[in-house]
Amino acid sequence: MPTIALEGTGAKITFAATGLTADLITLTLADRAKDAIGTSHLGSLLTLGNRGGKLVDPGQVVVEFDHVPSAPALLRRPPEQVTISYPLQPGDSSPAKLVFTAFATAVGGGELTPGGRLTRQVTLALTSDLAFQPAGPPITNASVSPVLESVTNNGNGTWTALWGWYNRNTVPVTIPIGVNNRFSPVPQARGQPVVFLPGRHYGQFSTVITATLVWALKGPDGQGRTATAGVTYIKN
């Protein structure tokens, strides 16, 4: 697991929902993909059901940052967007960023760096890919695609479909429930988000089905895309 030393570079880490921002000291990247996994942060069983292939665990990262005594607890919180931002360079309109969603699985603290800084080390389990946003204008007119992750036979005449998405923009995209963000057959709203964070996000919500269910999304590029969960077949 390579560790990137960032102390003194001006890099910062921000936890969006927690409201914590701190100077980043080190960033350790684990393997980007692992073997098939048994459970998710949703607590739902991720068996493969009727779909072939493996479910992918996007892995984890370990971050070390300046200790903030007043910061809220990071453990036992749902996944949230985490942004690592780098200093603005001359000529750039915006800084480069690394953006992902994750939840804390371990927190350590009280370490002193060689420079005498008190730090906190947090292990974060990823629920999305790492999305690098280069310096410069954001991408705002790309696609947002629904993704069917898996279908599990519940053994009682119902199936559980697990869904995610891929937002190819470098900013969050809001798509209200309706013609551009709907399930069919009705009801159109079945727990899907209306704000889609950038990047590929895995296993974000589930639906229980007894027949074919289609999720349709239309992103800023104006192109509609669908993902279909069926009880005997899968089509993306």
Side-chain angles (χ1 to χ4, degrees), residues 6-180:
L6 295 167
E7 184 175 9
T9 66
K12 293 186 178 296
I13 185 168
T14 299
F15 295 82
T18 307
L20 169 63
T21 297
D23 290 336
L24 189 61
I25 307 300
T26 63
L27 170 65
T28 302
L29 301 174
D31 294 337
R32 289 290 303 279
K34 296 182 179 180
D35 291 335
I37 55 176
T39 59
S40 74
H41 67 275
L42 299 173
S44 56
L45 188 64
L46 300 186
T47 54
L48 293 177
N50 297 314
R51 187 182 186 188
K54 286 185 175 181
L55 292 169
V56 175
D57 174 3
Q60 66 180 25
V61 298
V62 179
V63 293
E64 182 185 12
F65 52 86
D66 274 350
H67 178 61
V68 180
S70 60
L74 292 173
L75 288 175
R76 292 179 292 279
R77 297 180 62 92
E80 62 181 302
Q81 180 173 307
V82 180
T83 301
I84 294 172
S85 57
Y86 300 92
L88 187 66
Q89 300 299 316
D92 290 337
S93 58
S94 63
K97 298 178 181 179
L98 188 66
V99 181
F100 52 91
T101 57
F103 60 99
T105 58
V107 175
E111 299 295 328
L112 282 174
T113 69
R117 304 174 77 164
L118 184 64
T119 68
R120 171 161 291 186
Q121 188 178 81
V122 179
T123 301
L124 298 169
L126 298 171
T127 59
S128 76
D129 282 339
L130 301 171
F132 178 71
Q133 300 179 7
I139 298 172
T140 60
N141 60 353
S143 63
V144 180
S145 301
V147 178
L148 175 67
E149 310 285 9
S150 67
V151 173
T152 300
N153 190 333
N154 297 323
N156 60 0
T158 68
W159 286 256
T160 296
L162 189 66
W163 308 86
W165 73 82
Y166 188 5
N167 175 8
R168 292 174 175 83
N169 298 275
T170 59
V171 297
V173 173
T174 298
I175 309 176
I177 301 296
V179 64
N180 293 331

